[in-house]
Amino acid sequence: MDLLANFAASFATQLQSPTLAFLIGGMLLAASGSRLTIPDAIYRFIVFVLLMRIGLHGGMEIKEADLTALAFPALLSAVTGCVCVMMGWLVLARLPGIKFDDAIATSGLFGAVSASTLAAAIIILEEEMIAFEAWAPALYPFMDIPALVLAIVLASLHAQKAQTENGVRPKIGAIIVDSLRGSALSALLLGLAIGLLTNPGRIYTEFYDPMFRGLLSILLLIMGMEAYSRLAELRGVAHWFAVYALFAPIVHGLIGFGLGYLAHITVGFSPGGVIVLAIIAASNSDISGPPTLRAAIPNANPSSYIGASTSIGTPIAIAVCIPLFIALADLVFGL
Amino acid sequence: MDLLANFAASFATQLQSPTLAFLIGGMLLAASGSRLTIPDAIYRFIVFVLLMRIGLHGGMEIKEADLTALAFPALLSAVTGCVCVMMGWLVLARLPGIKFDDAIATSGLFGAVSASTLAAAIIILEEEMIAFEAWAPALYPFMDIPALVLAIVLASLHAQKAQTENGVRPKIGAIIVDSLRGSALSALLLGLAIGLLTNPGRIYTEFYDPMFRGLLSILLLIMGMEAYSRLAELRGVAHWFAVYALFAPIVHGLIGFGLGYLAHITVGFSPGGVIVLAIIAASNSDISGPPTLRAAIPNANPSSYIGASTSIGTPIAIAVCIPLFIALADLVFGL
Amino acid sequence: MDLLANFAASFATQLQSPTLAFLIGGMLLAASGSRLTIPDAIYRFIVFVLLMRIGLHGGMEIKEADLTALAFPALLSAVTGCVCVMMGWLVLARLPGIKFDDAIATSGLFGAVSASTLAAAIIILEEEMIAFEAWAPALYPFMDIPALVLAIVLASLHAQKAQTENGVRPKIGAIIVDSLRGSALSALLLGLAIGLLTNPGRIYTEFYDPMFRGLLSILLLIMGMEAYSRLAELRGVAHWFAVYALFAPIVHGLIGFGLGYLAHITVGFSPGGVIVLAIIAASNSDISGPPTLRAAIPNANPSSYIGASTSIGTPIAIAVCIPLFIALADLVFGL
Amino acid sequence: MFYKATKVTIIAERLLQSGILKILEAGGAKGYTIVDGSGQGEHINRKGDRASVVRAFSIVRIEFIQTDDASARAIAEEVSQTYFKQYSGIVYVSPVEVIRTERF
Amino acid sequence: MFYKATKVTIIAERLLQSGILKILEAGGAKGYTIVDGSGQGEHINRKGDRASVVRAFSIVRIEFIQTDDASARAIAEEVSQTYFKQYSGIVYVSPVEVIRTERF
Amino acid sequence: MFYKATKVTIIAERLLQSGILKILEAGGAKGYTIVDGSGQGEHINRKGDRASVVRAFSIVRIEFIQTDDASARAIAEEVSQTYFKQYSGIVYVSPVEVIRTERF
Ligand SMILES: Nc1ncnc2c1ncn2[C@@H]1O[C@H](COP(=O)(O)O)[C@@H](O)[C@H]1O
Ligand SMILES: Nc1ncnc2c1ncn2[C@@H]1O[C@H](COP(=O)(O)O)[C@@H](O)[C@H]1O
Ligand SMILES: Nc1ncnc2c1ncn2[C@@H]1O[C@H](COP(=O)(O)O)[C@@H](O)[C@H]1O
Ligand code: NA
Ligand code: NA
Ligand code: NA
């Protein structure tokens, strides 16, 4: 009951903050057939700036951080990503009328991480003044890559079983490298490296940081417009994808929260860090994941996994999971 | 005489401010054959940010405003828009060598409203520290939509008279919805809604507001380049369009000013608000209007109405009408 | 020895500053096959904003400057540009296996000026708090245009000698106009004019100036990615181009430094100004130069001159020459 | 193996795009490809990627392939009839050969 | 009704665009369509939409249709003669059928 | 003088671009032109230039010309065999005439 009350309060606060409003506004605009669109070049610029800001900040803080503190949460992130994919493999892939490849690609996407959800979570935590380890966003790749790799490996093992000729042994190294080359992870890692090795100073305080909120608002507007536009695609595939997309973020977030809690009691991972871990677990990859999966699991129908993640998964992760896990942390840690 | 002196002073001040300089600079660059161009993606981003800023600000202020105060100016805006179109219908359409459809589409565009002119007016009023109701820019749609609708209805009635088969009864509801779906009005209304319903706070103060001036300078540069480039098109059509474009902004602005003055004495509309009303009346639609008219009055030649508005109407509205109506307000209200 | 120590110190400082890190980061990303790209529209927007900022600042300061002080450095800039091209003509064009047109186009590019190198130098000088005449960046066109014109004239004289029919007498006026029309010089001159004639005030302090550092970081990232990607092209042409690209920036910078020193003792050109002059001499045109040369010297192979300048010349100018000439100035002027 | 098919190319103002695609779908086209462009014809001049206040008037180039020549031509005629009396645009037809007929 | 016509496609460096369009207009082409592109040929490599310091070298694809085959071919030859000895670019001609002949 | 040649047009997902270009180069194509697009086929829907979270799925239109018809068709077949069983895309061939044969 307390959780529900907390959630309601946290959700109400968020409705006051414009973050959620832009997401919903984007959906309404798309639904009303508005001709307003944000050009693709702007979208890519925004994603770059947001991830550079997150990376630079993380890098600057890691300098002072005790890196051993990062090791255990990083391991737990990898575990979370893999457990989420396994769950999709065990549950979604067995549902009636679901093709194996579609299920496993969808699980991979939901096991992986979304840059926009992460950015929204950071803004909201900063607004509510909940402290977290600045390196916590750097857990992103530790969850993202294992999830994608595992999904691709499972798809490939399945193909091998089905017919010997087509089932090529997946090259795990190649998949990892391919993930790191994606535009989102490249930007994040570049930011981390520059933050760590140089002194970004005024570039950070005068550009990347002040731009963060404003550009995020535009990104959320785009995510909202995309969510609505892709609903049509989702309608063309089995309903189970919609159901999965509705619940997976919450379940994944709970797994992340549980393992984060473990890190809290063992290595003193902060409550804010636990929330970040829960939210990246709840999020689903929207930038780098789809092309990686498309290339590696060509037989999977992109409409199923992109429809599920963009139209339902991301809105749920942002609008429901962020307030939910803040409320849960409030209850558990008495913030 | 006083007005002329005031105008000269106000015009001189504006020449000092860079706003006008960017417009003129754009024209000179285009005239000199410069290869400098601002990419279309940037143009669309700028328009979005400017209209969001105007909308957010309006929305935040409307919260505290007495909405009944808005009702009468809104009605007057609609009247202004319609009167302007009627004048075009009565005068421009009757001039020798002018096709009815071209005249009515041009009148519609000059009755409607320009986002860039509005943004320039807001910046200049803020610079000269002339206060106006923050919701005054929200009068935009109340003038824009009636003007476009009336022009389309007149064109369609004319087509019905000419030949029964082709004259389809225009669906007024559909035209209004189509106008609202245009990218400019969508952004303005989104901003208004978010400003009204949430608390934009730092998104506004750290992003949309600081970006406003700088991006407007780039938009004016673009408008200047467009103005020059489209002169060639205007040359291909009847000279009356150029004459109309030269005087319509001033006449329309005077109508707006007169009706605004009525609102001043009846419901206490502020002098700054009267200037805003006069300037949106003087402005002519450059973003949403042309496609709406193109779709609805296909027989009108776009070169006539776009040439007239972009090449002459908008420069006159920005460079002449803004200082003119500030000077007039100075005289009338003794600012 | 002192110079080396100074250079090492200055280089080490720069490694701490993120400016260089973005350049190197771009190279590493491209080398690792990252899919991160910055859209072309953003690139063009960045270049525009940087040059406007440099121009506005220069224009605002020129108002107060003694313009006769500018005359002598401007003349020296032109001399520097021409001497650099002559050196290429005398040395590079005579090397074995080098086509005359390729050599002369490459010399023209290295005699001309790079906007990104100039912007990076300005940021670094500001960071190290080395004062320079604000109009010093306005020396840009005085070096850029003579260098390009001379290269084109030499190429054309050569063509005339080779075969009477094809060798058209180059129209120097037309080449100068064409250079001024390039997007980089257009933006710089527009900024200068607006800075000089109006009072940019808040547009400068709230937009162009705060954006400068951040956008420059992205531009350097792009330059780094380009540098790596074009290495492949460079490999296809004679090795002498790589050797030239390695040493020309340093030699040209020394010439600029020497002539700047002359201006220092004769008309009191500041040490910071001498550094700016040296660095624009060391830089090579990357935005406006290539298309101008391409149009005017069509027989030259773009891979040779663009490969040499983008892949080697620009990185050397930014990473080596900026710290080098700061160190040299330190030694000479005891900053 | 290559099979004869008919390609229809439609060049039209961007604002007609959705209407044209509806005709294509109604006419049985199994797919289409759209490319953005600019151009010049009888009507207004359209510039390339520089900012334009009249972007909605820029050009799209829509092409689709059908193995059924008569059906392809019928769609071409219908698009032309419906739009190109009043709006800007052209349609043309050309012969091509495709590999997998089941896709067209 | 479909009428035979000739389509000429010119692929060239962007900096040649305005010169080529002048030849088209002088040769009597009533319209043309331009699409941006990238490509690879004998000369330098051109990438797609990623930022490029040498944007002016990117490719444009200009196509125009004329019902008068001889005239279309003459324009094609002239463009090729004027530019493609020195600059990058290709021209090719293909047969099409159009609907409204008065437009071409 | 115009010489007969064969044009191959490949429409495919962007992520296949580099693989397809390798096949072209291996097959002896001396050049190619790439244009960005969007489209609709059996698989997912691709929108135009509006921001899309799945840009990698947008369409590229690659065309190349060879005077050797057999070679051009062989490349077309190989691209189709290699990619278009699993991934989105189509290939078609059409006759053209070129001016300078040494370039194709
Ligand atoms: N003869 C032509 N050849 C190629 N494209 C054309 C031709 N005529 C018109 N177009 C294209 O069709 C569009 C509309 O033409 P129009 O309806 O004549 O204004 C133009 O913007 C061009 O892109
Ligand atoms: N065989 C070809 N097929 C298609 N396009 C080509 C071909 N050769 C050249 N091109 C195009 O023409 C441009 C210039 O070619 P080039 O003059 O060979 O450098 C290239 O960038 C390609 O876009
Ligand atoms: N019949 C067709 N005509 C033209 N383009 C097509 C056709 N079918 C498919 N395409 C293009 O090929 C892409 C992939 O098609 P598909 O593999 O059917 O999803 C689509 O996005 C279209 O751009
Ligand atoms: Na996840
Ligand atoms: Na108006
Ligand atoms: Na130089």
Side-chain angles (χ1 to χ4, degrees), chain C residues 84 109-114 143 252 279-285:
Chain C
C84 293
L109 221 52
F110 278 79
V113 178
S114 154
M143 192 182 301
H252 295 177
I279 289 166
I280 64 178
S283 77
N284 50 86
S285 179

PDB file of all heavy atoms in Angstrom, chain C residues 84 109-114 143 252 279-285, ligand 6:
ATOM      1  N   CYS C  84      54.229  30.803 -49.032  1.00  0.00           N
ATOM      2  CA  CYS C  84      53.962  29.376 -48.806  1.00  0.00           C
ATOM      3  C   CYS C  84      53.632  28.680 -50.128  1.00  0.00           C
ATOM      4  O   CYS C  84      54.117  27.576 -50.405  1.00  0.00           O
ATOM      5  CB  CYS C  84      52.805  29.194 -47.825  1.00  0.00           C
ATOM      6  SG  CYS C  84      53.180  29.759 -46.155  1.00  0.00           S
ATOM      7  N   LEU C 109      46.222  24.892 -51.036  1.00  0.00           N
ATOM      8  CA  LEU C 109      45.467  24.522 -49.843  1.00  0.00           C
ATOM      9  C   LEU C 109      46.276  24.768 -48.570  1.00  0.00           C
ATOM     10  O   LEU C 109      45.743  25.232 -47.558  1.00  0.00           O
ATOM     11  CB  LEU C 109      45.108  23.037 -49.939  1.00  0.00           C
ATOM     12  CG  LEU C 109      43.716  22.635 -49.499  1.00  0.00           C
ATOM     13  CD1 LEU C 109      42.676  23.491 -50.196  1.00  0.00           C
ATOM     14  CD2 LEU C 109      43.472  21.184 -49.827  1.00  0.00           C
ATOM     15  N   PHE C 110      47.559  24.455 -48.616  1.00  0.00           N
ATOM     16  CA  PHE C 110      48.402  24.628 -47.419  1.00  0.00           C
ATOM     17  C   PHE C 110      48.792  26.085 -47.209  1.00  0.00           C
ATOM     18  O   PHE C 110      49.131  26.483 -46.097  1.00  0.00           O
ATOM     19  CB  PHE C 110      49.640  23.733 -47.497  1.00  0.00           C
ATOM     20  CG  PHE C 110      49.356  22.326 -47.063  1.00  0.00           C
ATOM     21  CD1 PHE C 110      48.725  21.425 -47.898  1.00  0.00           C
ATOM     22  CD2 PHE C 110      49.700  21.902 -45.782  1.00  0.00           C
ATOM     23  CE1 PHE C 110      48.434  20.135 -47.494  1.00  0.00           C
ATOM     24  CE2 PHE C 110      49.423  20.603 -45.359  1.00  0.00           C
ATOM     25  CZ  PHE C 110      48.791  19.721 -46.221  1.00  0.00           C
ATOM     26  N   GLY C 111      48.743  26.879 -48.270  1.00  0.00           N
ATOM     27  CA  GLY C 111      48.960  28.306 -48.094  1.00  0.00           C
ATOM     28  C   GLY C 111      47.736  28.988 -47.506  1.00  0.00           C
ATOM     29  O   GLY C 111      47.844  29.985 -46.795  1.00  0.00           O
ATOM     30  N   ALA C 112      46.556  28.404 -47.760  1.00  0.00           N
ATOM     31  CA  ALA C 112      45.304  29.004 -47.296  1.00  0.00           C
ATOM     32  C   ALA C 112      45.064  28.666 -45.817  1.00  0.00           C
ATOM     33  O   ALA C 112      45.938  28.130 -45.139  1.00  0.00           O
ATOM     34  CB  ALA C 112      44.155  28.531 -48.181  1.00  0.00           C
ATOM     35  N   VAL C 113      43.885  28.970 -45.314  1.00  0.00           N
ATOM     36  CA  VAL C 113      43.646  28.982 -43.869  1.00  0.00           C
ATOM     37  C   VAL C 113      42.492  28.059 -43.485  1.00  0.00           C
ATOM     38  O   VAL C 113      41.520  27.920 -44.222  1.00  0.00           O
ATOM     39  CB  VAL C 113      43.338  30.419 -43.409  1.00  0.00           C
ATOM     40  CG1 VAL C 113      43.035  30.472 -41.920  1.00  0.00           C
ATOM     41  CG2 VAL C 113      44.502  31.341 -43.740  1.00  0.00           C
ATOM     42  N   SER C 114      42.600  27.447 -42.306  1.00  0.00           N
ATOM     43  CA  SER C 114      41.552  26.554 -41.813  1.00  0.00           C
ATOM     44  C   SER C 114      40.766  27.199 -40.685  1.00  0.00           C
ATOM     45  O   SER C 114      41.332  27.657 -39.689  1.00  0.00           O
ATOM     46  CB  SER C 114      42.185  25.273 -41.285  1.00  0.00           C
ATOM     47  OG  SER C 114      41.367  24.688 -40.312  1.00  0.00           O
ATOM     48  N   MET C 143      45.235  36.172 -45.817  1.00  0.00           N
ATOM     49  CA  MET C 143      46.167  35.113 -46.189  1.00  0.00           C
ATOM     50  C   MET C 143      45.505  34.106 -47.124  1.00  0.00           C
ATOM     51  O   MET C 143      46.114  33.624 -48.080  1.00  0.00           O
ATOM     52  CB  MET C 143      46.680  34.387 -44.942  1.00  0.00           C
ATOM     53  CG  MET C 143      47.866  33.475 -45.230  1.00  0.00           C
ATOM     54  SD  MET C 143      48.407  32.581 -43.765  1.00  0.00           S
ATOM     55  CE  MET C 143      48.822  33.902 -42.647  1.00  0.00           C
ATOM     56  N   HIS C 252      55.531  26.685 -42.714  1.00  0.00           N
ATOM     57  CA  HIS C 252      54.655  27.834 -42.946  1.00  0.00           C
ATOM     58  C   HIS C 252      54.429  28.604 -41.659  1.00  0.00           C
ATOM     59  O   HIS C 252      54.412  29.837 -41.648  1.00  0.00           O
ATOM     60  CB  HIS C 252      53.309  27.381 -43.513  1.00  0.00           C
ATOM     61  CG  HIS C 252      53.394  26.769 -44.875  1.00  0.00           C
ATOM     62  ND1 HIS C 252      52.317  26.248 -45.542  1.00  0.00           N
ATOM     63  CD2 HIS C 252      54.455  26.592 -45.711  1.00  0.00           C
ATOM     64  CE1 HIS C 252      52.698  25.781 -46.717  1.00  0.00           C
ATOM     65  NE2 HIS C 252      53.988  25.971 -46.828  1.00  0.00           N
ATOM     66  N   ILE C 279      49.800  30.483 -36.562  1.00  0.00           N
ATOM     67  CA  ILE C 279      48.920  29.313 -36.648  1.00  0.00           C
ATOM     68  C   ILE C 279      48.036  29.370 -37.883  1.00  0.00           C
ATOM     69  O   ILE C 279      47.779  28.342 -38.507  1.00  0.00           O
ATOM     70  CB  ILE C 279      48.120  29.138 -35.336  1.00  0.00           C
ATOM     71  CG1 ILE C 279      49.094  28.669 -34.251  1.00  0.00           C
ATOM     72  CG2 ILE C 279      47.007  28.116 -35.517  1.00  0.00           C
ATOM     73  CD1 ILE C 279      48.568  28.758 -32.856  1.00  0.00           C
ATOM     74  N   ILE C 280      47.571  30.556 -38.271  1.00  0.00           N
ATOM     75  CA  ILE C 280      46.806  30.546 -39.521  1.00  0.00           C
ATOM     76  C   ILE C 280      47.731  30.249 -40.701  1.00  0.00           C
ATOM     77  O   ILE C 280      47.316  29.635 -41.680  1.00  0.00           O
ATOM     78  CB  ILE C 280      45.927  31.809 -39.755  1.00  0.00           C
ATOM     79  CG1 ILE C 280      46.730  33.074 -39.900  1.00  0.00           C
ATOM     80  CG2 ILE C 280      44.893  31.959 -38.661  1.00  0.00           C
ATOM     81  CD1 ILE C 280      45.838  34.296 -40.173  1.00  0.00           C
ATOM     82  N   ALA C 281      48.989  30.616 -40.593  1.00  0.00           N
ATOM     83  CA  ALA C 281      49.933  30.230 -41.643  1.00  0.00           C
ATOM     84  C   ALA C 281      50.126  28.715 -41.652  1.00  0.00           C
ATOM     85  O   ALA C 281      50.191  28.082 -42.710  1.00  0.00           O
ATOM     86  CB  ALA C 281      51.273  30.943 -41.427  1.00  0.00           C
ATOM     87  N   ALA C 282      50.195  28.124 -40.459  1.00  0.00           N
ATOM     88  CA  ALA C 282      50.409  26.680 -40.353  1.00  0.00           C
ATOM     89  C   ALA C 282      49.193  25.890 -40.809  1.00  0.00           C
ATOM     90  O   ALA C 282      49.312  24.748 -41.264  1.00  0.00           O
ATOM     91  CB  ALA C 282      50.750  26.325 -38.904  1.00  0.00           C
ATOM     92  N   SER C 283      48.031  26.493 -40.693  1.00  0.00           N
ATOM     93  CA  SER C 283      46.795  25.760 -41.008  1.00  0.00           C
ATOM     94  C   SER C 283      46.623  25.615 -42.513  1.00  0.00           C
ATOM     95  O   SER C 283      47.277  26.295 -43.294  1.00  0.00           O
ATOM     96  CB  SER C 283      45.595  26.501 -40.428  1.00  0.00           C
ATOM     97  OG  SER C 283      45.274  27.619 -41.233  1.00  0.00           O
ATOM     98  N   ASN C 284      45.732  24.725 -42.904  1.00  0.00           N
ATOM     99  CA  ASN C 284      45.464  24.561 -44.329  1.00  0.00           C
ATOM    100  C   ASN C 284      43.966  24.482 -44.541  1.00  0.00           C
ATOM    101  O   ASN C 284      43.243  23.873 -43.780  1.00  0.00           O
ATOM    102  CB  ASN C 284      46.166  23.320 -44.861  1.00  0.00           C
ATOM    103  CG  ASN C 284      45.890  22.132 -44.000  1.00  0.00           C
ATOM    104  OD1 ASN C 284      44.885  21.449 -44.190  1.00  0.00           O
ATOM    105  ND2 ASN C 284      46.725  21.877 -43.000  1.00  0.00           N
ATOM    106  N   SER C 285      43.505  25.067 -45.603  1.00  0.00           N
ATOM    107  CA  SER C 285      42.075  25.268 -45.826  1.00  0.00           C
ATOM    108  C   SER C 285      41.309  23.953 -45.888  1.00  0.00           C
ATOM    109  O   SER C 285      41.664  23.049 -46.642  1.00  0.00           O
ATOM    110  CB  SER C 285      41.873  26.005 -47.132  1.00  0.00           C
ATOM    111  OG  SER C 285      40.506  26.189 -47.361  1.00  0.00           O
TER     112      SER C 285
HETATM  113 NA    NA G   6      48.300  28.167 -44.351  1.00  0.00          NA
END
